[in-house]
Amino acid sequence: MRSEQYEAVIEGILFTMGESVEIARLAEAVELETDQVRQILHKMIERYEQEDRGIQIIEIEDAVQMCTKKELYEYLIKVAKQPKQHVLTDVLLETLSIIAYKQPITRLEIEKIRGVSCAHAVNKLVEYNLVCELGRLDAPGRPLLFGTTEEFLRSFGVASIEELPVLNQDQMEEFRQQAEEEMNLKLNV
């Protein structure tokens, strides 16, 4: 097959699947090495960008997905039913950031960090498909372990957890002090 034919096959698979597809599975489908498929994908990504197409291919960990460009959202909702917008409150964002940086993590560990119950927040994040159950901790009671999903990566525009911003020690200390002040305010009320 010619390079253009491989691109057509990969494009057809990604379009049809509608969700992320592991690069290794694409390689199996077109009977090429994973590195060769990565090269084809990067060529396709560049071409879509150069031609200012309405679709793009995004990388999510060791997978790729074809999706519409964010800039076209306002036009899409005129034709398609507007998806429900989930509102992430400060509590949900705080809980989500703890899970993202500490995963896999149990609900009890999240509550130790936040200082308050987090059952509702974790359940909402699971409902929004930003967090999922990863399994159970091998400890008494076998508590659930939580981690982020592909939807989390997609929503926040990162290809993997490693791309999350790194917090420096000064920021960590500032956050710790803010949390302690909030705890003192709640205890004094």
Side-chain angles (χ1 to χ4, degrees), residues 94-95 97-99 101-103 105-118 172 175-176 179-180 182-183:
E94 182 180 311
T95 305
S97 64
I98 291 168
I99 294 169
Y101 281 98
K102 298 284 190 177
Q103 64 185 306
I105 187 169
T106 65
R107 190 172 288 162
L108 183 62
E109 291 170 318
I110 299 167
E111 289 173 355
K112 280 183 183 177
I113 294 169
R114 290 200 59 236
V116 295
S117 175
C118 68
M172 293 295 287
F175 292 151
R176 188 187 64 72
E180 285 178 1
E182 286 180 25
M183 289 294 294

Side-chain angles (χ1 to χ4, degrees), residues 127-155:
E127 179 184 324
Y128 294 168
N129 195 29
L130 297 172
V131 168
C132 67
E133 296 174 4
L134 298 177
R136 293 191 174 271
L137 184 64
D138 191 18
R142 308 240 330 122
L144 288 170
L145 290 167
F146 294 94
T148 56
T149 63
E150 273 190 8
E151 184 62 29
F152 166 82
L153 298 174
R154 201 175 295 111
S155 297

Side-chain angles (χ1 to χ4, degrees), residues 64-94:
V64 289
Q65 180 175 359
M66 182 176 285
C67 57
T68 308
K69 286 185 174 177
K70 293 176 196 170
E71 302 86 46
L72 303 179
Y73 179 77
E74 66 181 275
Y75 301 104
L76 289 174
I77 61 173
K78 292 177 182 178
V79 176
K81 184 177 178 182
Q82 185 172 359
K84 184 177 180 182
Q85 291 282 333
H86 299 296
V87 177
L88 293 179
T89 63
D90 289 345
V91 170
L92 292 179
L93 281 172
E94 182 180 311

